[in-house]
Amino acid sequence: MPFTGGGTRLMPLKRVDKTPMPERDAVLRSHDFVEVNEGYNIARARFEAERCLRCQDPVCIDGCPVQIPIPDFVHSIAAGDMAGAAKILRSANPLPAICGRVCPQESQCEEQCSLGTRFIPVAIGYLERFVADWEMSQPAGEEPAQPTRPEKVAVIGSGPAGLVCAGELARLGHPVTIYEGLHAPGGVLRYGIPEFRLPKEVLDWEIDQLKRLGVEIVCNVIIGKTVSLDDLFDEMGYAAVFVGTGAGLPQFMGIPGENLNGVYSANEFLTRVNLMHANDFPNADTPVMVGKSVAVIGAGNTAMDTVRTALRVGAERGLIVYRRSDKEMTARVEEHHHAIEEGVEFHWLTNPVEVLGDEDGWVTGLKCISMELGEPDESGRARPVPIEGSEFVIPVDNVVLSIGNRPNPLLLQTTMGLKSNKWGCLVVEDESAQTSLRHVFAGGDAVTGAATVILAAGAGKSAAAAIHEDLCE
Amino acid sequence: MAKILEKRSLTPVTKLFRVEAPLVAAAARPGQFVIVRVREGGERIPLTIADYDRDNGTLTIVVQEVGTTTRHMGALEVGDDILDLVGPLGMALEIPAEGHVVGIGGGFGAAALLCLMRELSARGDRTTIIIGAREEGLLILIDELAEICDNLELCTDDGSAGFKGFVTERLAQLIDGDGPGIPDSVVAIGPMPMMRAVTETTRDAGIPTLVSLDPLMIDGTGMCGGCRVTVNNEVKFACVDGPFFDAHQVDFEEAVRRNKMYVRQEQESKERAECRSLAVGQD
């Protein structure tokens, strides 16, 4: 791979391939938690930035849920103006270091990229991450901003939707407090996404940037339990509330043996490691039980995170068991690719029907049935149909279910008049993100059901604008 | 953070803490619990709210030092902070029928009866509390419990105080009419074997019985699903659906088995903590 270091080229280079992301060796990394992608250096970043065609009509922006002016920041990188790039990026997205790492760019901005019609699209995600990492290496900026408006806003939940909403509201001058139920902020970014994909140092840094904007974060308070939603208005004087409580209610399959010892939800498995540091047991006090073989049911990003985490905490075999085929898998291409490199086994068209256990109640195997693809179902994907008589047993020591999450019902159960649909998702007006309650807004997975970090961030951002408008009427 | 305002040793391994937690105290209802974490790298463990004082904004919690986290907690003193305390979690206890309610507390579970039985007494129920321990010195909060119920029954294995025998044996006597009255409903809080025995004692008599399950938990808000228990052949999350369940419907065998999932790790962690405290002692 040739490199051109310094010097600004004025004309773009129409190269076929994107500049590769340096990655840690798969064998080494599958035993530790150090980040897999090492990030571009300045030379690689400028080299890649120069691939941008500078389209008159930059369609990449349409693919971005937070509408980052992509060509502008990419051009700043090409010109070597990293501070300028950082400013442009941050004005549109308060969490660039996170989104640059975990966004599915291949189905968003990069899918739209004009270069993609003939070549590989510009690596917009890698560039976003580069700029944010560069910013992280710089000395801290100015002192925390002071609110300019009197109306206080409470944000429930410190996941991506809540963080972005709070950041935007602070930028608009409102005093903002985020209430988080766990002992550390970040929501799914903290308990769900593993260190090797999103180092917690990066998350902490991004949260610090929000604090510098004036956002206050209060942990260990569960709205709906510790304090009611009504009390936020009546007792605590908030003028508006944003609900960003996410989708944190794990689904189980309802097959026999799910309560055997050694069966986890992906949420529990990942939380033990990411939030509670079970990988460091017994230095940390929370253990995680991992045998030689771990089967993860599901094939989304969470399933990939789970199976790769299982390898890192000592499993010799990590298996993905999925009732559909690799075509229907919802995980990002990069995560799937990394999982293959790390030796994960994939059992496609395989549907678990029972978790088997020994006389002491410990998992010994996963009984499955082979599937074949039939007609498309309501999701548009081919419906998997069981092949009669094809049952077989995969011997495993652990089973982790990663088949999705629904919104957590805690707030709904304790708040009169807050409306939800049959899946427990909060009902909001499309334009304003307002819920069935006045001055109560919502966004992210709590509204859509389990989706992506960037969609939550986008929802948080537009809700912030709606809240600002509501309060300034 | 929650500051410790008062600490009392109830037995050599049982400590009572009164902590400053005004928001939790204001929202707490009998039967709910909190989750605490006492140091960086520490576990999150659920603890039943023994009592709360809304006026003073305090919570009372009782801890038995059995594992790493409870030992670390037991070592905290007045003026120290509990690093993280969140709650109140779970559903409050609901006993629909008025009448004679018998609350049974095994070991340090007796503490959890404080606010619970006081509320039932205040509501007009006739209340009996049965607490039990190995010997007199291990019975806790006798005076406080005597104040809030109509009858307090003590049981000790060795007969050093009150009835000689298990709480379930005394309960069986009550059911047979030998005592302060036949229970209309029973609430049991304590070690799993004791709650299980209570359940079997009331099953044939058909007396509605609630038990407070304490499975392993992490978040306490329904996010991890680690606390799932089977009740009436349905999977429930003890943190949000419980902690109280209809005892006669609980799959105790599964609950006991799931609680023992990390026995080996718990032992390893405890031994390590002991080694550390020995090493510190030698310095």
Side-chain angles (χ1 to χ4, degrees), chain A residues 181-183 191 220-222 225-227 248-250 252 258-265 267-268 271-272 276 281-289 360-362 408 410, chain B residues 23-24 27 32 37 39 41-44 68 84-90 218-219 221-226 228 230 235 237 240 254 257-258 261-262 265 268-269 272 276:
Chain A
L182 288 171
H183 60 261
Y191 72 73
N220 293 323
V221 171
I222 301 168
K225 282 285 180 188
T226 317
V227 174
L249 187 74
F252 288 84
E258 270 181 335
N259 284 0
L260 288 169
N261 288 6
V263 181
Y264 288 106
S265 72
N267 283 6
E268 179 181 2
T271 301
R272 282 181 178 270
M276 307 308 295
F281 181 86
N283 291 320
D285 295 337
T286 306
V288 68
M289 191 67 81
D360 296 326
W362 284 93
N408 192 309
L410 268 189
Chain B
L23 289 178
V24 184
Q32 289 185 300
R37 194 176 73 119
R39 62 183 192 123
E43 280 177 294
R44 294 168 63 93
T68 304
D84 295 294
L85 183 148
V86 62
L89 298 164
I218 303 179
D219 62 297
T221 61
M223 185 271 279
C224 81
R228 55 196 192 278
T230 304
V235 175
F237 289 1
V240 289
E254 179 188 278
R257 165 170 60 70
R258 287 184 59 80
M261 191 155 155
Y262 299 98
Q265 284 88 343
E268 182 184 347
S269 174
R272 198 181 151 94
R276 255 197 230 128

Coordinates of all heavy atoms in Angstrom, one line a residue, chain A residues 181-183 191 220-222 225-227 248-250 252 258-265 267-268 271-272 276 281-289 360-362 408 410, chain B residues 23-24 27 32 37 39 41-44 68 84-90 218-219 221-226 228 230 235 237 240 254 257-258 261-262 265 268-269 272 276:
Chain A
G181 N -30.0 5.4 35.6 CA -30.3 4.4 36.7 C -29.1 3.6 37.2 O -29.0 3.2 38.3
L182 N -28.2 3.3 36.2 CA -27.0 2.5 36.6 C -26.0 3.5 37.4 O -26.2 4.6 37.5 CB -26.3 1.9 35.4 CG -27.1 0.7 34.8 CD1 -26.5 0.3 33.5 CD2 -27.2 -0.5 35.8
H183 N -24.9 2.9 37.8 CA -23.9 3.7 38.5 C -22.9 4.4 37.6 O -22.1 5.2 38.1 CB -23.1 2.8 39.6 CG -22.4 1.7 39.0 ND1 -22.9 0.4 38.9 CD2 -21.2 1.6 38.3 CE1 -22.0 -0.4 38.3 NE2 -21.0 0.3 37.9
Y191 N -22.8 -0.6 29.0 CA -23.0 -2.0 29.4 C -23.0 -2.9 28.2 O -22.8 -4.1 28.4 CB -24.2 -2.1 30.3 CG -25.6 -2.0 29.6 CD1 -26.1 -3.0 28.7 CD2 -26.4 -0.9 29.8 CE1 -27.3 -2.9 28.1 CE2 -27.6 -0.8 29.1 CZ -28.0 -1.8 28.3 OH -29.2 -1.6 27.6
N220 N -27.6 6.6 39.5 CA -28.3 6.0 40.5 C -29.7 6.5 40.8 O -30.2 6.5 42.0 CB -27.5 6.0 41.8 CG -26.2 5.1 41.7 OD1 -26.2 4.1 41.1 ND2 -25.1 5.6 42.3
V221 N -30.3 7.1 39.8 CA -31.7 7.6 40.0 C -32.5 7.0 38.9 O -32.2 7.2 37.7 CB -31.8 9.2 40.0 CG1 -33.2 9.6 39.9 CG2 -31.1 9.7 41.2
I222 N -33.5 6.3 39.2 CA -34.4 5.7 38.2 C -35.7 6.5 38.2 O -36.5 6.4 39.2 CB -34.7 4.2 38.6 CG1 -33.3 3.4 38.6 CG2 -35.6 3.6 37.6 CD1 -33.5 2.1 39.2
K225 N -39.1 5.2 39.5 CA -39.0 4.5 40.8 C -38.5 5.4 41.9 O -39.2 5.6 42.9 CB -37.9 3.3 40.6 CG -38.5 2.1 39.9 CD -39.4 1.3 40.8 CE -40.0 0.1 40.2 NZ -41.0 -0.6 41.1
T226 N -37.3 6.0 41.7 CA -36.8 6.9 42.7 C -37.6 8.2 42.7 O -37.9 8.7 43.8 CB -35.3 7.2 42.4 OG1 -34.6 6.0 42.1 CG2 -34.6 7.8 43.6
V227 N -37.8 8.7 41.5 CA -38.6 9.9 41.4 C -39.6 9.7 40.3 O -39.2 9.1 39.3 CB -37.6 11.1 41.0 CG1 -38.3 12.4 40.6 CG2 -36.5 11.3 42.0
G248 N -34.1 -2.0 26.8 CA -33.3 -2.9 27.7 C -34.1 -3.9 28.4 O -33.9 -4.2 29.5
L249 N -35.0 -4.5 27.6 CA -35.8 -5.7 28.2 C -35.5 -6.9 27.4 O -36.1 -7.0 26.3 CB -37.3 -5.3 28.3 CG -38.1 -6.4 29.0 CD1 -37.9 -6.2 30.5 CD2 -39.6 -6.1 28.7
P250 N -34.6 -7.8 27.8 CA -34.2 -8.9 26.9 C -35.3 -9.8 26.7 O -36.1 -10.2 27.5 CB -33.1 -9.5 27.8 CG -33.4 -9.2 29.2 CD -34.0 -7.8 29.2
F252 N -36.5 -13.6 25.6 CA -36.1 -15.0 25.7 C -37.0 -15.8 24.6 O -38.0 -15.3 24.2 CB -36.3 -15.6 27.1 CG -35.3 -15.0 28.0 CD1 -35.5 -13.8 28.7 CD2 -34.1 -15.7 28.3 CE1 -34.5 -13.3 29.5 CE2 -33.1 -15.2 29.1 CZ -33.3 -14.0 29.8
E258 N -34.3 -22.8 29.3 CA -33.7 -21.5 29.3 C -33.2 -21.0 30.7 O -32.5 -20.0 30.8 CB -34.7 -20.5 28.7 CG -34.6 -20.4 27.2 CD -35.6 -19.3 26.7 OE1 -36.6 -19.1 27.3 OE2 -35.3 -18.8 25.6
N259 N -33.8 -21.6 31.7 CA -33.3 -21.2 33.1 C -32.3 -22.1 33.7 O -32.0 -22.0 34.9 CB -34.6 -21.1 34.0 CG -35.4 -19.9 33.7 OD1 -35.1 -19.1 32.8 ND2 -36.5 -19.7 34.5
L260 N -31.7 -22.9 32.8 CA -30.6 -23.8 33.4 C -29.4 -22.9 33.7 O -29.2 -21.7 33.2 CB -30.1 -24.8 32.3 CG -31.1 -25.9 32.0 CD1 -30.7 -26.7 30.8 CD2 -31.1 -26.9 33.2
N261 N -28.5 -23.4 34.6 CA -27.4 -22.6 35.0 C -26.4 -22.6 33.8 O -26.1 -23.6 33.2 CB -26.6 -23.2 36.2 CG -27.4 -23.0 37.5 OD1 -28.5 -22.5 37.4 ND2 -26.8 -23.4 38.6
G262 N -26.0 -21.4 33.4 CA -25.1 -21.2 32.3 C -25.8 -20.6 31.1 O -25.2 -20.4 30.0
V263 N -27.1 -20.3 31.2 CA -27.8 -19.6 30.2 C -27.9 -18.1 30.5 O -28.3 -17.8 31.7 CB -29.2 -20.2 30.0 CG1 -30.0 -19.4 28.8 CG2 -29.2 -21.7 29.7
Y264 N -27.5 -17.3 29.6 CA -27.6 -15.8 29.8 C -28.4 -15.1 28.8 O -28.5 -15.6 27.6 CB -26.2 -15.2 29.7 CG -25.2 -15.6 30.8 CD1 -24.2 -16.5 30.6 CD2 -25.3 -14.9 32.1 CE1 -23.3 -16.7 31.7 CE2 -24.4 -15.2 33.1 CZ -23.4 -16.1 32.9 OH -22.5 -16.3 33.8
S265 N -28.9 -14.0 29.1 CA -29.3 -13.0 28.0 C -28.0 -12.3 27.6 O -27.1 -12.2 28.4 CB -30.3 -12.0 28.6 OG -29.6 -11.1 29.4
N267 N -27.7 -9.3 27.3 CA -27.5 -8.1 28.1 C -26.8 -8.5 29.4 O -25.9 -7.7 29.8 CB -28.9 -7.6 28.6 CG -29.6 -6.8 27.5 OD1 -29.1 -6.7 26.4 ND2 -30.8 -6.3 27.8
E268 N -27.2 -9.6 30.0 CA -26.5 -9.9 31.3 C -25.0 -10.3 31.0 O -24.2 -9.8 31.7 CB -27.2 -11.1 31.9 CG -26.5 -11.5 33.2 CD -27.1 -12.7 34.0 OE1 -28.1 -13.3 33.5 OE2 -26.6 -13.0 35.1
T271 N -23.2 -7.1 30.2 CA -23.1 -6.2 31.4 C -22.1 -6.7 32.4 O -21.4 -5.9 33.0 CB -24.5 -6.1 32.0 OG1 -25.4 -5.6 31.0 CG2 -24.5 -5.1 33.2
R272 N -22.1 -8.0 32.6 CA -21.1 -8.6 33.6 C -19.7 -8.2 33.2 O -18.9 -7.9 34.0 CB -21.3 -10.1 33.7 CG -22.4 -10.5 34.5 CD -22.6 -12.0 34.6 NE -23.7 -12.3 35.5 CZ -23.6 -12.5 36.8 NH1 -22.4 -12.4 37.4 NH2 -24.7 -12.7 37.5
M276 N -19.4 -4.4 34.7 CA -18.9 -4.9 36.0 C -17.5 -5.5 35.9 O -16.9 -5.9 36.9 CB -19.9 -6.0 36.5 CG -21.3 -5.6 36.6 SD -21.6 -4.0 37.5 CE -21.1 -4.5 39.2
F281 N -12.2 -10.6 36.9 CA -12.4 -11.3 38.1 C -11.1 -12.2 38.4 O -10.6 -12.7 37.5 CB -13.6 -12.2 37.9 CG -14.0 -13.0 39.1 CD1 -14.8 -12.5 40.1 CD2 -13.5 -14.3 39.3 CE1 -15.1 -13.3 41.3 CE2 -13.8 -15.1 40.4 CZ -14.6 -14.5 41.4
P282 N -10.7 -12.3 39.7 CA -11.3 -11.8 40.9 C -10.8 -10.4 41.4 O -11.1 -10.1 42.5 CB -10.9 -12.9 41.9 CG -9.5 -13.4 41.4 CD -9.5 -13.2 39.9
N283 N -10.1 -9.7 40.5 CA -9.7 -8.3 40.9 C -11.0 -7.5 41.0 O -11.2 -6.7 41.9 CB -8.8 -7.7 39.9 CG -7.4 -8.3 39.9 OD1 -6.9 -8.6 41.0 ND2 -6.8 -8.5 38.8
A284 N -11.9 -7.7 40.0 CA -13.3 -7.1 40.2 C -14.1 -8.3 40.8 O -13.8 -9.4 40.6 CB -13.8 -6.8 38.8
D285 N -15.2 -7.9 41.5 CA -15.9 -8.9 42.3 C -17.0 -9.7 41.5 O -17.5 -10.6 42.0 CB -16.6 -8.2 43.5 CG -15.5 -7.6 44.4 OD1 -14.4 -8.1 44.4 OD2 -15.9 -6.6 45.2
T286 N -17.3 -9.2 40.3 CA -18.4 -9.8 39.6 C -17.9 -10.9 38.6 O -17.0 -10.6 37.8 CB -19.2 -8.8 38.8 OG1 -19.6 -7.8 39.6 CG2 -20.4 -9.4 38.1
P287 N -18.3 -12.1 38.8 CA -17.8 -13.2 37.9 C -18.7 -13.3 36.6 O -19.8 -12.8 36.6 CB -17.9 -14.5 38.7 CG -19.1 -14.2 39.6 CD -19.2 -12.7 39.8
V288 N -18.2 -14.0 35.6 CA -19.0 -14.5 34.5 C -18.7 -15.9 34.3 O -17.5 -16.3 34.4 CB -18.9 -13.6 33.3 CG1 -17.5 -13.8 32.6 CG2 -20.0 -13.9 32.2
M289 N -19.6 -16.8 34.0 CA -19.4 -18.2 33.9 C -19.2 -18.5 32.4 O -20.2 -18.5 31.7 CB -20.6 -18.9 34.5 CG -20.4 -20.4 34.7 SD -19.2 -20.7 35.9 CE -20.2 -20.5 37.4
D360 N -27.3 -31.7 37.6 CA -27.2 -30.6 38.5 C -27.7 -29.3 37.9 O -27.6 -28.2 38.5 CB -25.7 -30.4 38.8 CG -25.1 -31.6 39.6 OD1 -25.9 -32.2 40.4 OD2 -24.0 -31.9 39.4
G361 N -28.3 -29.4 36.7 CA -28.9 -28.2 36.2 C -28.0 -27.3 35.4 O -28.3 -26.1 35.1
W362 N -26.8 -27.8 35.0 CA -25.9 -27.0 34.2 C -26.0 -27.4 32.7 O -26.3 -28.5 32.3 CB -24.4 -27.3 34.6 CG -24.1 -26.6 35.9 CD1 -24.2 -27.1 37.1 CD2 -23.7 -25.3 36.0 NE1 -23.8 -26.2 38.0 CE2 -23.5 -25.0 37.4 CE3 -23.4 -24.3 35.1 CZ2 -23.1 -23.8 37.9 CZ3 -22.9 -23.0 35.6 CH2 -22.8 -22.8 36.9
N408 N -37.9 -0.9 28.0 CA -38.1 -1.2 29.4 C -39.4 -0.6 29.9 O -39.6 0.6 29.7 CB -36.9 -0.6 30.2 CG -36.9 -1.1 31.6 OD1 -37.9 -1.1 32.3 ND2 -35.8 -1.6 32.1
L410 N -40.5 0.1 32.9 CA -40.6 0.7 34.2 C -41.3 2.1 34.2 O -42.2 2.3 35.1 CB -39.2 0.9 34.8 CG -38.6 -0.2 35.6 CD1 -37.3 0.2 36.3 CD2 -39.6 -0.6 36.7
Chain B
L23 N -34.2 10.8 48.6 CA -35.0 10.5 47.4 C -35.6 9.0 47.5 O -36.8 8.8 47.3 CB -34.3 10.6 46.1 CG -34.0 12.1 45.7 CD1 -33.2 12.0 44.4 CD2 -35.2 12.9 45.5
V24 N -34.7 8.1 47.9 CA -35.2 6.7 48.0 C -36.1 6.6 49.2 O -37.2 5.9 49.1 CB -34.0 5.8 48.2 CG1 -34.4 4.3 48.2 CG2 -32.9 6.0 47.1
A27 N -39.6 7.7 48.4 CA -40.4 6.8 47.4 C -40.6 5.4 47.9 O -41.4 4.7 47.4 CB -39.6 6.8 46.1
Q32 N -39.8 -3.3 49.3 CA -39.0 -3.0 48.2 C -37.5 -3.1 48.6 O -37.2 -3.3 49.8 CB -39.2 -1.5 47.7 CG -40.6 -1.4 47.0 CD -40.8 -0.1 46.4 OE1 -40.8 0.9 47.1 NE2 -41.0 0.0 45.1
R37 N -23.5 -0.8 45.7 CA -22.1 -1.2 45.2 C -21.2 -0.5 46.2 O -21.4 0.7 46.4 CB -21.9 -0.8 43.8 CG -20.7 -1.4 43.1 CD -20.6 -0.9 41.7 NE -20.2 0.5 41.6 CZ -19.1 0.9 41.0 NH1 -18.3 0.0 40.4 NH2 -18.7 2.1 41.0
R39 N -17.7 -0.5 46.5 CA -16.3 0.0 46.1 C -16.1 -0.1 44.6 O -16.9 -0.9 43.9 CB -15.3 -0.8 46.8 CG -15.3 -2.3 46.5 CD -14.3 -3.1 47.2 NE -14.2 -4.4 46.7 CZ -13.0 -5.0 46.2 NH1 -11.9 -4.3 46.3 NH2 -13.0 -6.2 45.7
G41 N -15.0 -1.5 41.2 CA -14.8 -2.9 40.9 C -15.7 -3.8 41.7 O -15.6 -5.1 41.5
G42 N -16.5 -3.3 42.5 CA -17.4 -4.1 43.4 C -18.6 -4.6 42.6 O -18.9 -4.1 41.6
E43 N -19.3 -5.6 43.2 CA -20.5 -6.1 42.7 C -21.7 -5.2 43.0 O -21.6 -4.4 43.9 CB -20.9 -7.4 43.4 CG -20.2 -8.6 43.0 CD -20.6 -9.8 43.9 OE1 -20.3 -9.7 45.1 OE2 -21.3 -10.7 43.4
R44 N -22.8 -5.4 42.3 CA -24.0 -4.8 42.7 C -24.8 -5.8 43.4 O -25.0 -6.9 42.8 CB -24.8 -4.3 41.4 CG -24.1 -3.1 40.7 CD -24.7 -2.9 39.3 NE -26.1 -2.5 39.4 CZ -26.5 -1.2 39.4 NH1 -25.6 -0.2 39.3 NH2 -27.8 -0.9 39.5
T68 N -18.0 -11.5 49.7 CA -17.0 -10.4 49.5 C -17.7 -9.0 49.7 O -17.2 -8.2 50.5 CB -16.4 -10.4 48.1 OG1 -15.8 -11.7 48.0 CG2 -15.3 -9.4 48.0
D84 N -22.5 3.5 45.8 CA -23.6 3.6 45.0 C -24.8 2.9 45.7 O -24.7 1.8 46.2 CB -23.4 2.8 43.6 CG -22.3 3.5 42.8 OD1 -22.6 4.6 42.4 OD2 -21.3 2.8 42.6
L85 N -25.9 3.6 45.7 CA -27.2 3.1 46.2 C -28.3 3.5 45.4 O -28.5 4.7 45.1 CB -27.3 3.5 47.7 CG -28.5 3.0 48.4 CD1 -28.2 2.8 49.9 CD2 -29.8 3.8 48.3
V86 N -29.1 2.6 44.8 CA -30.2 3.0 43.9 C -31.4 2.2 44.3 O -31.4 1.1 44.7 CB -29.8 2.7 42.4 CG1 -29.5 1.2 42.2 CG2 -30.8 3.2 41.5
G87 N -32.5 2.9 44.2 CA -33.8 2.3 44.5 C -34.9 3.4 44.7 O -34.7 4.5 44.3
P88 N -36.0 3.0 45.2 CA -36.4 1.7 45.6 C -36.8 0.9 44.4 O -37.4 1.4 43.5 CB -37.6 2.0 46.5 CG -38.2 3.2 45.9 CD -37.1 4.0 45.4
L89 N -36.4 -0.4 44.5 CA -36.7 -1.3 43.4 C -37.7 -2.4 43.7 O -38.0 -2.6 44.9 CB -35.4 -2.0 42.9 CG -34.3 -1.0 42.5 CD1 -32.9 -1.6 42.4 CD2 -34.7 -0.4 41.1
G90 N -38.3 -3.0 42.7 CA -39.3 -4.0 42.9 C -40.6 -3.4 43.3 O -40.8 -2.2 43.4
I218 N -28.1 -7.9 38.6 CA -27.1 -6.9 38.3 C -27.8 -5.5 38.4 O -27.5 -4.7 39.3 CB -26.4 -7.1 37.0 CG1 -25.8 -8.5 37.0 CG2 -25.3 -6.1 36.8 CD1 -25.1 -8.9 35.7
D219 N -28.6 -5.2 37.4 CA -29.1 -3.8 37.3 C -30.3 -3.6 38.2 O -30.5 -2.5 38.7 CB -29.5 -3.5 35.8 CG -30.6 -4.4 35.3 OD1 -30.3 -5.6 35.2 OD2 -31.7 -3.9 35.0
T221 N -33.4 -3.5 37.2 CA -34.5 -2.8 36.5 C -35.1 -3.6 35.3 O -35.8 -3.1 34.5 CB -34.0 -1.5 35.9 OG1 -32.9 -1.8 35.0 CG2 -33.4 -0.6 37.0
G222 N -34.7 -4.9 35.3 CA -35.3 -5.7 34.2 C -34.4 -5.8 33.0 O -34.8 -6.4 32.0
M223 N -33.2 -5.2 33.1 CA -32.4 -5.2 31.9 C -31.6 -6.4 31.6 O -31.3 -6.8 30.5 CB -31.4 -3.9 32.0 CG -30.6 -3.7 30.8 SD -29.0 -4.5 30.8 CE -28.1 -3.4 31.9
C224 N -31.1 -7.1 32.7 CA -30.2 -8.3 32.5 C -30.9 -9.6 32.5 O -30.5 -10.5 31.8 CB -29.1 -8.3 33.5 SG -29.4 -9.0 35.1
G225 N -32.0 -9.7 33.2 CA -32.7 -11.0 33.2 C -32.1 -12.1 34.0 O -32.5 -13.2 34.0
G226 N -31.0 -11.7 34.7 CA -30.3 -12.7 35.6 C -31.2 -13.2 36.7 O -31.0 -14.4 37.2
R228 N -34.2 -14.2 36.8 CA -35.5 -14.9 36.4 C -35.8 -16.1 37.3 O -34.9 -16.9 37.6 CB -35.5 -15.2 34.9 CG -34.4 -16.0 34.4 CD -34.4 -15.9 32.8 NE -33.5 -16.9 32.2 CZ -32.2 -16.7 32.1 NH1 -31.6 -15.6 32.6 NH2 -31.4 -17.6 31.6
T230 N -39.1 -19.0 38.1 CA -40.3 -19.6 37.5 C -41.4 -19.6 38.5 O -41.2 -20.2 39.6 CB -40.1 -21.0 36.9 OG1 -39.0 -20.9 36.0 CG2 -41.3 -21.5 36.2
V235 N -42.0 -17.5 33.4 CA -40.8 -16.9 33.8 C -41.0 -15.4 34.2 O -41.6 -14.7 33.5 CB -39.7 -16.9 32.7 CG1 -38.5 -16.2 33.0 CG2 -39.4 -18.4 32.3
F237 N -39.2 -11.9 36.2 CA -38.0 -11.2 36.7 C -38.2 -10.7 38.1 O -39.1 -9.9 38.3 CB -37.6 -10.0 35.8 CG -37.2 -10.3 34.4 CD1 -37.0 -11.6 34.0 CD2 -36.8 -9.3 33.5 CE1 -36.6 -12.0 32.7 CE2 -36.3 -9.6 32.2 CZ -36.2 -10.9 31.8
V240 N -38.3 -6.7 38.9 CA -39.4 -5.9 38.5 C -40.8 -6.5 38.8 O -41.7 -5.8 39.1 CB -39.3 -5.4 37.0 CG1 -38.2 -4.4 36.9 CG2 -39.2 -6.5 36.1
E254 N -35.5 -24.7 41.2 CA -34.8 -23.9 40.2 C -34.2 -22.7 40.9 O -33.0 -22.3 40.6 CB -35.7 -23.5 39.1 CG -35.1 -22.6 38.0 CD -36.1 -22.1 37.1 OE1 -36.5 -22.8 36.2 OE2 -36.6 -20.9 37.2
R257 N -31.1 -23.6 42.8 CA -30.0 -24.0 41.9 C -29.4 -22.7 41.3 O -28.2 -22.6 41.2 CB -30.6 -24.9 40.8 CG -29.7 -25.1 39.6 CD -30.1 -26.2 38.7 NE -31.4 -26.1 38.1 CZ -31.7 -25.2 37.2 NH1 -30.8 -24.3 36.8 NH2 -32.9 -25.2 36.6
R258 N -30.2 -21.8 40.8 CA -29.7 -20.6 40.1 C -28.9 -19.8 41.1 O -28.0 -19.1 40.7 CB -30.9 -19.8 39.5 CG -31.4 -20.5 38.2 CD -32.5 -19.7 37.5 NE -32.0 -18.4 37.1 CZ -31.3 -18.2 36.0 NH1 -31.0 -19.2 35.2 NH2 -30.9 -17.0 35.7
M261 N -25.2 -20.6 41.3 CA -24.5 -20.7 40.0 C -23.0 -20.3 40.2 O -22.1 -20.8 39.5 CB -25.2 -19.7 39.1 CG -24.7 -19.8 37.7 SD -26.1 -19.3 36.6 CE -25.2 -18.7 35.2
Y262 N -22.7 -19.4 41.1 CA -21.3 -18.9 41.2 C -20.7 -19.2 42.5 O -19.8 -18.5 43.0 CB -21.4 -17.3 41.1 CG -21.9 -16.9 39.7 CD1 -23.2 -16.5 39.6 CD2 -21.1 -16.9 38.6 CE1 -23.7 -16.1 38.4 CE2 -21.5 -16.5 37.4 CZ -22.9 -16.1 37.3 OH -23.3 -15.7 36.1
Q265 N -16.9 -19.3 42.4 CA -16.3 -17.9 42.2 C -16.5 -17.1 43.5 O -15.6 -16.3 43.9 CB -17.0 -17.2 41.1 CG -16.5 -17.6 39.7 CD -17.3 -18.8 39.2 OE1 -18.0 -19.5 39.9 NE2 -17.2 -19.0 37.9
E268 N -13.9 -18.2 45.9 CA -12.5 -17.7 45.4 C -12.4 -16.2 45.8 O -11.4 -15.8 46.3 CB -12.4 -17.9 43.9 CG -11.1 -17.5 43.3 CD -11.0 -17.6 41.8 OE1 -12.0 -18.2 41.2 OE2 -10.1 -17.0 41.2
S269 N -13.5 -15.5 45.5 CA -13.4 -14.0 45.8 C -13.3 -13.8 47.3 O -12.5 -12.9 47.7 CB -14.7 -13.4 45.2 OG -14.8 -12.1 45.6
R272 N -9.8 -14.6 48.6 CA -8.9 -13.6 48.1 C -9.0 -12.3 49.0 O -8.0 -11.8 49.4 CB -9.2 -13.2 46.7 CG -8.2 -12.5 46.0 CD -8.7 -12.2 44.6 NE -8.0 -11.0 44.1 CZ -7.0 -11.1 43.3 NH1 -6.4 -12.2 43.0 NH2 -6.4 -9.9 42.9
R276 N -6.1 -10.8 51.4 CA -5.8 -9.3 51.4 C -5.8 -8.7 52.7 O -4.9 -8.0 53.1 CB -6.7 -8.6 50.4 CG -6.0 -8.3 49.1 CD -6.8 -7.2 48.4 NE -7.1 -7.7 47.0 CZ -8.3 -7.7 46.5 NH1 -9.3 -7.3 47.1 NH2 -8.4 -8.1 45.3

